[in-house]
Amino acid sequence: MFPPVDQTRRRFLSAAAGGAAALSLSPSRAAAPAVDPIYAAIERHKAAAVVWDAAVDVWAKLPDGPEPMSTERWIERERINDASRDAMDDAGVDLINTSPTTLAGIARALNYIREQMLQDDGVYMPSSLRLADDTDGEYPVAWIDAFLDAIEQAASELDRAGKAVQA
């Protein structure tokens, strides 16, 4: 009633279908470049700057006037400032510690930091970094030093991987 099933043919067709599916998926995945993490770090930093600017606007509207500010108002003003500044500093630390993984990422990071320095006088960058030291615990460092270290490390990694263009 039912003809015998050719197991060899069935295996071949299954393997062929699986191979075709793998071929249709593999090129698109292989061709897609890895996303450089510096772009996300820059976007997080920009978002934190917007929040901090809004908090500063609210903070500035709380009257300082001739009468002393109430304790409750003073506490609220400082809470707004501290919360938004902490988030801003966290995003800044994340930014300067994120090593770009592409030459385009290095260029974008350098341009973004230049914007921070020239247009905004570095106000959105972390203000009091302390890095671990092998001798006495911690030492202060400017955020630009930490950022340049990350860029140097990224360039060295690209060079070692043979991804950098030889001049």
Side-chain angles (χ1 to χ4, degrees):
M1 187 179 290
F2 296 103
V5 175
D6 181 359
Q7 293 298 326
T8 307
R9 184 172 181 269
R10 181 173 281 175
R11 265 193 302 261
F12 172 76
L13 291 174
S14 295
L23 287 175
S24 67
L25 293 177
S26 296
S28 64
R29 287 184 182 161
V35 177
D36 192 320
I38 196 67
Y39 294 105
I42 289 170
E43 291 308 312
R44 284 189 300 273
H45 189 256
K46 286 180 177 181
V50 169
V51 170
W52 189 61
D53 282 342
V56 168
D57 289 345
V58 169
W59 187 80
K61 290 177 183 172
L62 294 173
D64 235 354
E67 297 177 21
M69 193 181 307
S70 71
T71 302
E72 293 81 22
R73 281 275 171 129
W74 183 260
I75 290 170
E76 181 64 13
R77 183 174 158 168
E78 291 306 305
R79 188 190 65 74
I80 290 168
N81 183 59
D82 291 348
S84 60
R85 187 64 211 191
D86 287 349
M88 185 77 218
D89 282 346
D90 289 347
V93 168
D94 179 49
L95 172 67
I96 63 177
N97 285 318
T98 298
S99 292
T101 58
T102 62
L103 289 174
I106 289 173
R108 178 63 187 117
L110 289 169
N111 282 326
Y112 185 72
I113 293 301
R114 181 182 56 173
E115 291 168 15
Q116 293 303 302
M117 294 172 69
L118 295 177
Q119 294 173 4
D120 300 318
D121 200 26
V123 71
Y124 297 115
M125 300 309 294
S127 55
S128 58
L129 292 179
R130 299 193 72 75
L131 299 180
D133 185 336
D134 290 340
T135 57
D136 60 0
E138 294 184 344
Y139 64 95
V141 64
W143 63 266
I144 192 69
D145 290 333
F147 169 73
L148 291 173
D149 285 347
I151 294 298
E152 179 182 16
Q153 178 184 351
S156 294
E157 288 295 319
L158 284 173
D159 188 46
R160 273 195 294 280
K163 295 179 182 176
V165 177
Q166 295 292 329

